[in-house]
Amino acid sequence: MLSDNVKQGPAHAPHRSLFNALGFTKEEMEKPMVAIVSSYNEIVPGHMNIDKIVEAVKLGVAEAGGMPVVFPAIAVCDGIAMGHIGMKYSLVTRDLIADSTECMALAHQFDAMVCVPNCDKNVPGLLMAAARVNIPTVFVSGGPMLAGHVHGKKTSLSSMFEAVGAHAAGKIDDAELDYYDQHACPTCGSCSGMYTANSMNCLTEAIGMGLRGNGTIPAVYSDRIRLAKHAGNAVMEMYRRNIRPRDIMTKDAFMNALAMDMALGCSTNTMLHIPAIAHEAGVEIDLEIANEISERTPNLCHLAPAGRTYMEDLNEAGGIYAVMKELSKKDLLNLDCMTVTGKTVGENIKDAVNLDPETIRPIEEPFMPNGGIAVLKGNIAPDTGIVKRSAVAPEMMVHEGPARVFDSEDDAIAAIYGGKIKPGDVVVIRYEGPKGGPGMREMLNPTSAIAGMGLGESVALITDGRFSGASRGASIGHVSPEAAVGGPIALVEEGDIIKVDIPNHSLNVEVSDEVLEERRKNWKPREPKVTSGYLSRYEKMVTSANRGAILEVK
């Protein structure tokens, strides 16, 4: 046992004295010591129930012969952080979470670990930590929120943001807006559509690091408590069999995750997190492979904001295993990958059944013949631009219009609400990338404002920042290289004609190379927006979005 390094022999008597101070018995100290990484807090709706999940995990670990020990992980609520300086602190927490969990796990020599995350950066941060620490680890999330109900229709957080846009356009009054905010988010849990948190929890199942139902069982269901107990049992079985995260998080497992990403219509943020997690596991992923996988993988689910179904519907339809079973019918998954169940993917999904062909389309009748995400390239985005094409209106798949250029999200929002954006425009928001932000803000506010004001089928948005999984429309993010390092998006001028062609994976400004080069001669780097604290350190170390915005020492 790793924990023998702090528990056994005369030399470790001082360590044992500190365990005695914690109230540990001699019998407990003879058992494997299992870290329970609790993301519980009282500010994030997706985390307010995690204390109950953690208690159930502890019972499962103890029942299976381990000694559970809890320590915390932070988490930011992107919905609360949205639209102000707080959003600069969202993506950056992914690395804080990974670093602090690594520190705690290795400093105290834990033998195994159960991670209990839920929201956007919390899940990938803990997956990154699991790959680094590489002790037997199981994930069990806090679970998704139930959908809200407004006037008899299911709603979610994206409906709320779009209601703000409708209010600004005079389409609804104050009383209706108040009715929305009282009913859109009715329970604890991660917001109820296929947004980033739920995308990552579902992909944790696909990678093999979470048990069946991890991504879809609603937070308020007692099934979630049972799942947590089973996770505690499972980590002890992994410990006994010495199955470690890097045995599970292989290149084939990440290819399975990308295929499931396309089938589910996940958030574009997965295109940041999958490469970053893979990097920690020693696997390098070139995002261009996403288009290859997308071309052969049909889109089977249209959950909110792309459609009218929600996480609870996906759960009732058979969950992630049912979607994987559909993909396996056309050999689109590697079924030999190991998982935290101690079985392969193929063994796990053998008996899965699609119980609702409207929520999970049969692979013979998909929503779209190719996947939910596309990687675009062109003279604005020589490396990458990412779009959730499953949430784009058909008439916006190909679009051409004049650039409306803004050097911050705040300026763009003011213009949208001020009625200055017209049908046909292409809104360009730059200097919001990993370095330029710093922190690569998520832009649900401008995308929701565009949709709420009735412009979702006529206006495109391009940014070196990123989008919420709740965003919909022709919203193209992660443009790399970003403006802050002199990427071509920095050279676009007001009125330039921009052509978006999602089916052909292209994104271009109709300006000659010679003109762009002349503009480059006049371009100068901006002074950093932040010069102290964590954001300043992050800005100095963060890499491009097409590499997952990982941190590197230059």
Side-chain angles (χ1 to χ4, degrees):
M1 289 190 292
L2 276 177
S3 59
D4 285 350
N5 292 330
V6 291
K7 293 190 304 188
Q8 297 299 319
H12 297 301
H15 303 82
R16 289 196 298 276
S17 72
L18 294 171
F19 285 129
N20 288 332
L22 288 165
F24 293 171
T25 66
K26 286 186 176 181
E27 292 78 11
E28 284 178 315
M29 283 189 271
E30 290 172 358
K31 298 175 181 179
M33 192 163 66
V34 180
I36 315 296
V37 189
S38 170
S39 303
Y40 169 76
N41 64 48
E42 294 183 343
I43 190 61
V44 184
H47 292 239
M48 62 184 285
N49 64 316
I50 279 178
D51 54 342
K52 296 177 176 59
I53 304 296
V54 166
E55 288 303 313
V57 172
K58 288 173 67 177
L59 283 172
V61 168
E63 179 184 56
M67 181 179 74
V69 183
V70 178
F71 67 78
I74 64 169
V76 163
C77 177
D78 278 27
I80 296 173
M82 196 81 64
H84 55 89
I85 191 173
M87 184 44 68
K88 293 179 184 289
Y89 287 91
S90 173
L91 178 60
V92 304
T93 64
R94 186 185 71 181
D95 297 275
L96 279 175
I97 291 161
D99 292 348
S100 58
T101 303
E102 173 194 356
C103 291
M104 288 293 288
L106 295 180
H108 301 99
Q109 293 290 281
F110 284 101
D111 297 298
M113 187 160 66
V114 178
C115 293
V116 190
N118 210 22
C119 287
D120 294 34
K121 313 310 166 302
N122 189 241
V123 182
L126 289 176
L127 283 165
M128 290 163 69
R132 286 186 202 172
V133 175
N134 203 35
I135 57 176
T137 302
V138 175
F139 275 65
V140 55
S141 77
M145 184 183 291
L146 294 177
H149 290 83
V150 173
H151 304 309
K153 293 182 179 179
K154 286 186 176 181
T155 58
S156 60
L157 184 65
S158 56
S159 309
M160 190 66 247
F161 275 89
E162 290 181 18
V164 173
H167 181 266
K171 296 183 178 182
I172 63 174
D173 60 17
D174 290 350
E176 180 70 356
L177 184 64
D178 181 67
Y179 186 84
Y180 264 87
D181 76 50
Q182 294 295 324
H183 294 87
C185 299
T187 68
C188 61
S190 48
C191 297
S192 56
M194 188 55 81
Y195 310 148
T196 306
N198 291 328
S199 294
M200 290 308 306
N201 281 320
C202 290
L203 294 186
T204 299
E205 281 191 63
I207 291 169
M209 290 296 293
L211 298 176
R212 182 176 191 169
N214 179 64
T216 60
I217 296 171
V220 295
Y221 283 14
S222 296
D223 273 355
R224 177 67 52 183
I225 301 296
R226 287 191 283 272
L227 179 71
K229 292 175 182 176
H230 290 148
N233 296 161
V235 80
M236 293 309 300
E237 182 61 22
M238 289 180 70
Y239 171 77
R240 283 187 279 271
R241 295 178 59 181
N242 196 29
I243 300 173
R244 297 170 181 253
R246 290 195 179 200
D247 300 324
I248 294 169
M249 290 195 276
T250 62
K251 185 164 187 177
D252 284 338
F254 288 111
M255 294 303 104
N256 282 352
L258 285 170
M260 283 294 290
D261 196 328
M262 302 304 167
L264 290 167
C266 289
S267 163
T268 52
N269 281 313
T270 60
M271 295 292 105
L272 280 175
H273 300 321
I274 290 175
I277 299 161
H279 176 76
E280 298 291 354
V283 176
E284 297 303 320
I285 292 178
D286 183 340
L287 278 184
E288 287 194 53
I289 199 171
N291 281 340
E292 296 177 29
I293 293 172
S294 183
E295 288 308 304
R296 62 175 181 262
T297 308
N299 177 228
L300 305 181
C301 299
H302 261 193
L303 282 84
R308 297 179 181 177
T309 51
Y310 293 79
M311 295 306 297
E312 63 210 65
D313 302 309
L314 180 57
N315 187 62
E316 295 301 321
I320 299 309
Y321 280 18
V323 181
M324 295 178 82
K325 185 66 175 287
E326 290 291 346
L327 293 188
S328 72
K329 293 176 182 177
K330 291 195 174 180
D331 298 322
L332 295 172
L333 297 175
N334 186 315
L335 301 182
D336 295 326
C337 292
M338 179 52 64
T339 73
V340 293
T341 66
K343 299 177 181 178
T344 65
V345 169
E347 291 172 314
N348 284 345
I349 68 172
K350 180 178 63 174
D351 298 323
V353 177
N354 180 357
L355 300 172
D356 181 0
E358 290 303 310
T359 298
I360 304 171
R361 287 283 182 87
I363 198 162
E364 300 83 8
E365 301 174 32
F367 283 103
M368 296 178 2
N370 33 41
I373 288 178
V375 179
L376 311 186
K377 297 186 77 169
N379 65 358
I380 298 178
D383 292 336
T384 55
I386 306 294
V387 64
K388 185 174 180 176
R389 64 178 165 191
S390 60
V392 178
E395 56 267 40
M396 290 298 292
M397 286 291 185
V398 177
H399 180 76
E400 179 177 333
R404 304 299 311 282
V405 181
F406 303 93
D407 287 350
S408 74
E409 177 191 11
D410 309 279
D411 290 346
I413 291 171
I416 295 166
Y417 284 141
K420 296 178 181 179
I421 303 303
K422 306 301 181 186
D425 285 348
V426 178
V427 176
V428 177
I429 305 177
R430 60 194 182 190
Y431 295 99
E432 292 285 9
K435 281 187 178 295
M440 201 179 185
R441 286 200 283 184
E442 193 171 81
M443 298 187 191
L444 181 56
N445 268 352
T447 59
S448 297
I450 287 169
M453 296 183 77
L455 298 170
E457 283 74 45
S458 61
V459 170
L461 195 158
I462 297 169
T463 181
D464 54 8
R466 61 193 181 90
F467 296 112
S468 166
S471 293
R472 62 185 178 95
S475 303
I476 300 159
H478 306 204
V479 168
S480 303
E482 63 176 292
V485 299
I489 192 173
L491 310 178
V492 176
E493 294 185 357
E494 185 82 7
D496 286 348
I497 299 301
I498 292 177
K499 288 188 174 181
V500 178
D501 188 341
I502 295 172
N504 289 305
H505 307 131
S506 71
L507 176 62
N508 290 286
V509 59
E510 293 294 288
V511 174
S512 69
D513 292 344
E514 291 77 18
V515 171
L516 286 176
E517 189 54 40
E518 197 61 35
R519 291 178 184 179
R520 180 172 297 286
K521 291 176 184 176
N522 297 318
W523 178 82
K524 293 180 181 178
R526 303 288 180 91
E527 289 295 318
K529 294 176 184 175
V530 180
T531 57
S532 63
Y534 180 59
L535 285 179
S536 179
R537 296 197 300 276
Y538 182 89
E539 183 270 333
K540 291 178 175 66
M541 297 175 67
V542 70
T543 62
S544 177
N546 70 302
R547 297 185 57 204
I550 61 173
L551 301 186
E552 281 185 344
V553 178
K554 302 293 190 294

